Amino acid sequence: MRLFAFVLCLLVTLAADAAFCGERLHNGIELPDQWPLRMDRLPERLPTPPYLKQPPDVISIDVGRQLFVDDFLIEETNLTREFHKPVYHSANPVLTYDKPWEMSKAAGSLPTACPYSGGIWYDPHRKKFRMWYMGGYIEHLCLAESDDGINWTKPNLDVVPGTNIVLNRGATESNSLLMDLQEPDLDRRFKYFLTNIGKGWKTEYRTSPDGVHWSDPHWLSGPHGDRTTVFHDPFRQRWVFCLRTSDRSPVRLGRAKKYWETPDINDASTVQWPPSAPGRFDAQAPLWVTADRGLDHPRTELGVSPQLYHLDCVAYESLLLGMFNILRGDFHENDSEGRDAFPGRPKCAEVCIGYSRDGFHWHRPTHETFAGISEKRGDWNWGNVQSTGNSFVVVGDNLYFYVSGRRGAPNFSDQNTALLNAAYAGCSTGLAILRRDGFASMNAESDSNEPKTLTTRKVRFSGANLFVNVDAGRGNLLVEVLDENGDVIAPFTKENCQAIRSNKTLQSVSWKNANFAELAGRSVRFRFTLQNGRLFSFWVSRDPNGASNGYVAGGGPGFSTSRDEVGGTSLIPNQPPLVSAGVEQTIRDRDGNGRQQVSLDGSGTVDNDGRCVDFRWMVNGKEVASGRNTSADLPTGTHRVVLAVEDDDGAEGFAQVVITVLPQTDPVPSPKGLVMWLKADSLTTLADGSPVETWNDSSGNGMDCEQPEKGRQPIYVTEGVGGKPAIRFDGVDDHFVVDECPGLLFTFHQSTIIAFVRSKAGGTIISQAHANLSISAGESRRLSYGSSYAATGGTQEWPQIQSSTSTIWPIGGTSVCSMVHAGDLAGETALFVNGQRDDTGTAFPYHRSSAIRPFIGCAYRQRFCWSGDIAEILVYSRALGEAERQAVERSLLQKYGIAP
């Protein structure tokens, strides 16, 4: 390994310029001499980037708007960070299949019109939005154009006369198309990277002067897996390959990425990495990134750990944004990929987001879906939503994100083609809109009159004008400047600052009788004081128009280069309204009827170049209210309420707010994260003593249990525990198999198991592979939870946590047994017997995933069968808090008439 790392570093160093190692980045981050870093194995979760653990003493902010997506810029604050998601446009899909060459009949009737990853750019020379997409599945590279990014046309071109095909048979499952405005050779202004499967899974590189007429391949790269993409890191002037690999360690993290960079994409010698092993398409390159085990949430009905499908990256303002396309499983595959939960539905892939300030380490502060699938059959994004290569474009006050989605095939009568059709058919392109810089905001709550503050770390700049992106139309923002010691620099005081009471993505900050340019070159801090508003970003510009000098992703109207060199003059002729849908709300159903009237507040919405004429509030695409300030009757549950506002010129703006309506009283058990709930009293049709073939899951997730072999079927007893129904196991071979759920106990980093049982001779209550909750046999019975995990060096460890030997479970004793796993450290896995904590405090690392089905009433390989009664089992995909766990345990004790 050391020899390989040395040779690899030597090869890359020879190809790079002298600044490759130990360089200082634009923001003050210093890279180590060895770059990129090497790992022997992929971690189960992304480590905290070193620049967040130890940021530069002074941060340079000369490049781009400074976003608050992490704590890199923040020294102290009592503002609250909120992460935001884009809103799908009502016109979706904005591009769909309607041409004969997009129907892909040769591949099995798979109509397709979407980037994969492809590219969508604003071309400043043509003054058009341009989309290069896959026309027909794995068929043609096609071109569509638009004046506004919403309405698209397909021009007739001369490559294949009468069509918009620009490269016949030139689309594959993995391709990246980049517009390079820095390229001195105009014949290479557009660059296309596609995976050539026929030549050994290698990237093929072509160029074009106009995006229509393409060269022959310049080179083929080294080998790699599918969904390999390419992006440009302009901060370091490197071209980066996100190489598909698979983690084959005992932990089995699945799909992952390796990293390869080159300073000269036109030099074929710099992309000739060798295969990882003879005959493999896997690259011998540094390991890089994968999904976050336990943080990327699974689909409970699929029962598999999410994986990193692919990664698209782009520079925006002062950092790199990564579109982490997370595969949560297939709805129609076999045990290795998920349950046959919904035959005919496309796979569950969704877009999440990450940020990098050094181009290699990623920070994913939220694992919420950024652009996801719809749960409604027939929608354009019913499954398999994936990002575009350059991710988004800047359109005035908004960012336009384009994603591909799959509708699925219209019917699945032909079982031989159902899988293919479900996974790939009906591919179209959707648009989602987010406020500029709107990934995260630092908020001062609207229900508090107390101003709150944010103080930056020490920063240095060369500009003369301070700007902010702020929503303070119903509040105000004040700014003061501090010196290195934290003292206010006069006259840049809060009292001397012109109060900002506006909602703008570009708002200047000024002080009376002050020259901000005097601070250029000094190390200073900014202190923002905000009341009733949201702060998205700040920056210092040399230009009074507010040009940020940062990168603008795929460009946009008004930008002539890949950077913001124009500021306010980049605004499009008619800006849509800048919409504010109010603050997140959590309220209760007051009268217990399952619904509640909720106030909706769009008063913060502004149209900075006109007036707003129409306000529509929608939930799941259905209008629920109208008007700037109104109300809606919402059922209990969590709702993403979208506000669409139209201005007097017909342009629409969008925003959304999360509103949670709680039931009148919290249900026990809580449905949040409840994966499986087996209740003996749900089997209302069985007579006492009847064998049980199926034990249905009461959680609604379909985690049903079955035992088709009559000799191994437990029996239903009407008076098993506390005079209530239970399932009785003989301790010899009675057990259930959880129906088609291979990831029940292995999907979740945090988990809770609660079981109400009466033990006759002990045994295993629930298990999957080597993870199990059990009670030992003998006079002194001990509750235990055990599993296995891969330790360093590939050895297998077998940790077990047990209750103390003092716990006596007499013959016929009834108990509520609980296991709560909150983390990997000592004390974070806890056992409770009848509500009392009783464990040895053993550290319990997260166990490996497995495709083995779980069992009820026995251990893996049908050993250690349970002897006694089981009345209820609850499995959660989270660690219940103390109060929640106690509430569930009390409810069970009361239900079965057992004294606590």
Side-chain angles (χ1 to χ4, degrees):
M1 176 61 71
R2 291 181 178 176
L3 178 60
F4 163 64
F6 171 79
V7 172
L8 188 59
C9 187
L10 179 62
L11 288 172
V12 177
T13 302
L14 290 174
D17 57 33
F20 177 77
C21 288
E23 64 186 290
R24 183 189 295 271
L25 302 184
H26 69 283
N27 47 23
I29 295 173
E30 292 189 26
L31 303 184
D33 290 340
Q34 186 189 67
W35 193 261
L37 301 179
R38 269 66 175 180
M39 293 181 286
D40 292 332
R41 58 182 291 181
L42 286 166
E44 293 190 20
R45 280 184 278 173
L46 290 175
T48 301
Y51 57 77
L52 292 182
K53 293 181 179 179
Q54 193 170 8
D57 182 56
V58 180
I59 299 171
S60 173
I61 58 171
D62 275 341
V63 177
R65 299 183 179 208
Q66 307 298 311
L67 278 61
F68 294 114
V69 296
D70 55 26
D71 290 335
F72 180 70
L73 294 153
I74 301 173
E75 184 167 278
E76 60 179 7
T77 186
N78 57 359
L79 296 176
T80 302
R81 182 181 283 112
E82 179 184 4
F83 291 97
H84 304 278
K85 300 179 181 181
V87 178
Y88 280 129
H89 198 284
S90 57
N92 282 337
V94 294
L95 186 84
T96 190
Y97 38 86
D98 56 8
K99 303 294 183 183
W101 54 90
E102 296 170 343
M103 298 305 164
S104 192
K105 294 180 180 179
S109 298
L110 304 177
T112 301
C114 69
Y116 196 31
S117 297
I120 298 180
W121 301 82
Y122 184 82
D123 189 338
H125 300 288
R126 293 180 57 85
K127 291 184 170 46
K128 293 274 189 183
F129 295 86
R130 306 181 79 192
M131 177 194 303
W132 287 266
Y133 68 94
M134 179 188 293
Y137 193 77
I138 316 183
E139 292 282 345
H140 315 290
L141 179 66
C142 298
L143 173 65
E145 295 183 331
S146 174
D147 292 322
D148 60 6
I150 300 172
N151 301 285
W152 293 83
T153 60
K154 301 174 182 179
N156 289 327
L157 303 172
D158 60 359
V159 177
V160 178
T163 75
N164 64 333
I165 296 172
V166 296
L167 194 60
N168 194 39
R169 307 294 181 190
T172 66
E173 284 189 325
S174 299
N175 57 81
S176 303
L177 197 148
L178 309 181
M179 183 178 69
D180 183 9
L181 298 178
Q182 295 178 304
E183 172 61 64
D185 184 351
L186 296 183
D187 286 339
R188 300 192 176 201
R189 190 160 66 95
F190 294 93
K191 296 174 166 59
Y192 185 41
F193 305 89
L194 70 153
T195 297
N196 192 315
I197 301 173
K199 294 186 178 180
W201 290 92
K202 298 180 177 183
T203 290
E204 177 182 292
Y205 171 50
R206 297 172 181 256
T207 57
S208 170
D210 56 7
V212 176
H213 304 94
W214 292 90
S215 70
D216 291 332
H218 297 295
W219 47 249
L220 285 173
S221 73
H224 54 69
D226 66 347
R227 294 310 279 131
T228 288
T229 54
V230 181
F231 72 93
H232 184 241
D233 178 355
F235 302 109
R236 298 186 55 243
Q237 293 300 315
R238 294 294 188 273
W239 298 86
V240 180
F241 290 76
C242 307
L243 300 171
R244 158 72 190 275
T245 187
S246 292
D247 175 59
R248 300 186 299 277
S249 71
V251 180
R252 293 195 299 172
L253 297 175
R255 293 168 172 85
K257 293 296 177 182
K258 291 184 174 182
Y259 180 97
W260 191 272
E261 66 173 40
T262 173
D264 185 1
I265 197 64
N266 296 308
D267 185 351
S269 66
T270 65
V271 295
Q272 300 307 313
W273 52 80
S276 62
R280 287 194 61 85
F281 296 142
D282 191 18
Q284 195 176 111
L287 294 169
W288 189 16
V289 66
T290 185
D292 277 336
R293 175 65 60 82
L295 297 178
D296 281 308
H297 69 83
R299 296 281 299 213
T300 55
E301 75 272 38
L302 300 182
V304 292
S305 296
Q307 303 176 47
L308 178 58
Y309 203 163
H310 80 278
L311 175 62
D312 286 318
C313 308
V314 70
Y316 177 66
E317 294 295 348
S318 55
L319 43 71
L320 280 176
L321 266 77
M323 296 294 154
F324 283 70
N325 291 256
I326 302 298
L327 177 64
R328 308 195 196 280
D330 280 348
F331 289 100
H332 52 77
E333 282 266 0
N334 55 30
D335 281 358
S336 66
E337 287 289 331
R339 304 177 66 214
D340 193 14
F342 207 138
R345 186 174 184 180
K347 65 184 67 172
C348 183
E350 299 184 299
V351 181
C352 297
I353 199 164
Y355 311 92
S356 179
R357 296 183 185 271
D358 66 5
F360 185 81
H361 295 95
W362 291 102
H363 181 54
R364 296 181 59 199
T366 174
H367 291 74
E368 292 292 315
T369 300
F370 189 71
I373 66 174
S374 167
E375 301 302 330
K376 182 180 177 182
R377 183 169 190 165
D379 279 357
W380 67 274
N381 59 336
W382 195 40
N384 204 356
V385 169
Q386 300 192 36
S387 60
T388 305
N390 64 291
S391 304
F392 61 96
V393 293
V394 182
V395 186
D397 287 332
N398 295 291
L399 305 178
Y400 281 18
F401 291 83
Y402 296 91
V403 296
S404 58
R406 279 64 170 175
R407 190 184 302 274
N411 60 73
F412 306 95
S413 57
D414 183 354
Q415 294 300 313
N416 294 325
T417 62
L419 176 62
L420 183 65
N421 286 344
Y424 304 111
C427 308
S428 58
T429 306
L431 167 64
I433 298 179
L434 182 72
R435 178 193 181 106
R436 188 167 179 183
D437 308 339
F439 302 97
S441 61
M442 303 301 294
N443 299 352
E445 293 84 355
S446 60
D447 58 354
S448 172
N449 292 322
E450 187 70 24
K452 296 190 175 183
T453 63
L454 182 152
T455 304
T456 69
R457 303 185 192 276
K458 288 184 288 186
V459 298
R460 185 178 292 125
F461 50 84
S462 59
N465 306 275
L466 177 63
F467 292 87
V468 292
N469 181 338
V470 66
D471 177 3
R474 293 167 293 178
N476 68 81
L477 174 70
L478 299 170
V479 187
E480 53 194 332
V481 186
L482 316 180
D483 64 17
E484 286 188 312
N485 299 319
D487 298 323
V488 179
I489 303 173
F492 305 100
T493 65
K494 180 174 62 175
E495 293 75 17
N496 204 34
C497 180
Q498 300 283 350
I500 295 171
R501 299 184 178 91
S502 62
N503 181 3
K504 290 186 177 181
T505 63
L506 190 154
Q507 171 66 58
S508 63
V509 180
S510 62
W511 293 263
K512 289 178 281 188
N513 303 316
N515 181 10
F516 186 77
E518 295 175 355
L519 300 176
R522 294 181 59 178
S523 296
V524 301
R525 294 180 174 91
F526 295 111
R527 180 183 292 154
F528 300 95
T529 300
L530 181 64
Q531 182 177 8
N532 192 10
R534 296 171 175 173
L535 179 62
F536 293 88
S537 65
F538 74 98
W539 68 102
V540 176
S541 176
R542 298 183 182 214
D543 180 5
N545 286 322
S548 70
N549 193 37
Y551 292 90
V552 288
F559 300 115
S560 58
T561 70
S562 58
R563 305 177 85 147
D564 177 6
E565 298 176 347
V566 291
T569 58
S570 68
L571 299 179
I572 58 178
N574 176 41
Q575 281 285 304
L578 199 54
V579 180
S580 174
V583 297
E584 184 172 325
Q585 300 181 55
T586 299
I587 61 174
R588 283 198 180 274
D589 169 16
R590 298 188 186 94
D591 58 9
N593 69 346
R595 308 183 68 85
Q596 183 58 43
Q597 200 73 17
V598 178
S599 297
L600 302 173
D601 182 7
S603 61
T605 300
V606 297
D607 188 29
N608 289 313
D609 60 358
R611 60 187 180 88
C612 303
V613 297
D614 185 46
F615 290 75
R616 292 178 296 115
W617 300 84
M618 295 172 289
V619 175
N620 296 325
K622 180 181 179 181
E623 185 171 335
V624 295
S626 61
R628 183 186 290 267
N629 295 306
T630 184
S631 64
D633 187 39
L634 298 179
T636 54
T638 299
H639 311 277
R640 291 197 173 273
V641 183
V642 173
L643 173 58
V645 182
E646 184 178 342
D647 68 12
D648 50 351
D649 289 315
E652 267 192 318
F654 301 89
Q656 63 183 347
V657 61
V658 176
I659 297 179
T660 301
V661 179
L662 301 175
Q664 188 177 38
T665 57
D666 291 331
V668 177
S670 168
K672 181 182 178 183
L674 182 59
V675 177
M676 183 174 75
W677 187 10
L678 301 177
K679 301 193 302 175
D681 59 1
S682 69
L683 303 175
T684 57
T685 61
L686 294 180
D688 186 47
S690 299
V692 182
E693 181 177 358
T694 302
W695 195 359
N696 290 322
D697 171 27
S698 295
S699 75
N701 291 318
M703 303 298 181
D704 300 334
C705 305
E706 61 179 13
Q707 179 52 267
E709 298 182 43
K710 293 187 179 301
R712 294 183 173 184
Q713 291 173 350
I715 62 171
Y716 173 79
V717 291
T718 56
E719 296 186 5
V721 177
K724 302 287 184 181
I727 307 298
R728 182 162 293 168
F729 297 76
D730 63 7
V732 178
D733 59 1
D734 288 355
H735 69 277
F736 291 108
V737 177
V738 181
D739 178 27
E740 298 288 341
C741 181
L744 181 63
L745 301 184
F746 289 83
T747 301
F748 317 108
H749 175 70
Q750 296 188 342
S751 57
T752 302
I753 303 174
I754 300 177
F756 201 89
V757 301
R758 180 166 63 183
S759 170
K760 182 178 182 182
T764 301
I765 301 169
I766 182 172
S767 71
Q768 183 183 10
H770 301 292
N772 63 85
L773 183 70
S774 61
I775 296 174
S776 59
E779 286 296 322
S780 179
R781 302 208 175 95
R782 303 170 70 180
L783 177 67
S784 66
Y785 185 74
S787 184
S788 69
Y789 72 98
T792 304
T795 61
Q796 203 73 15
E797 298 289 339
W798 305 89
Q800 189 175 65
I801 186 168
Q802 295 181 322
S803 62
S804 69
T805 56
S806 62
T807 299
I808 304 298
W809 296 42
I811 297 296
T814 300
S815 298
V816 55
C817 316
S818 303
M819 186 285 300
V820 180
H821 178 66
D824 299 341
L825 303 179
E828 292 184 332
T829 301
L831 296 179
F832 299 86
V833 179
N834 289 335
Q836 300 298 312
R837 181 161 184 174
D838 188 13
D839 59 69
T840 52
T842 308
F844 202 95
Y846 181 74
H847 41 261
R848 63 188 176 90
S849 63
S850 173
I852 299 170
R853 293 180 178 183
F855 294 95
I856 303 297
C858 72
Y860 175 48
R861 293 174 181 166
Q862 301 174 29
R863 300 173 297 167
F864 307 115
C865 291
W866 175 255
S867 175
D869 297 345
I870 298 178
E872 294 194 29
I873 300 176
L874 299 94
V875 179
Y876 278 89
S877 63
R878 60 188 179 94
L880 294 187
E882 185 74 5
E884 281 188 290
R885 176 189 56 76
Q886 289 179 352
V888 175
E889 291 171 341
R890 279 197 304 268
S891 70
L892 291 174
L893 290 169
Q894 292 171 1
K895 176 178 178 178
Y896 292 96
I898 307 298

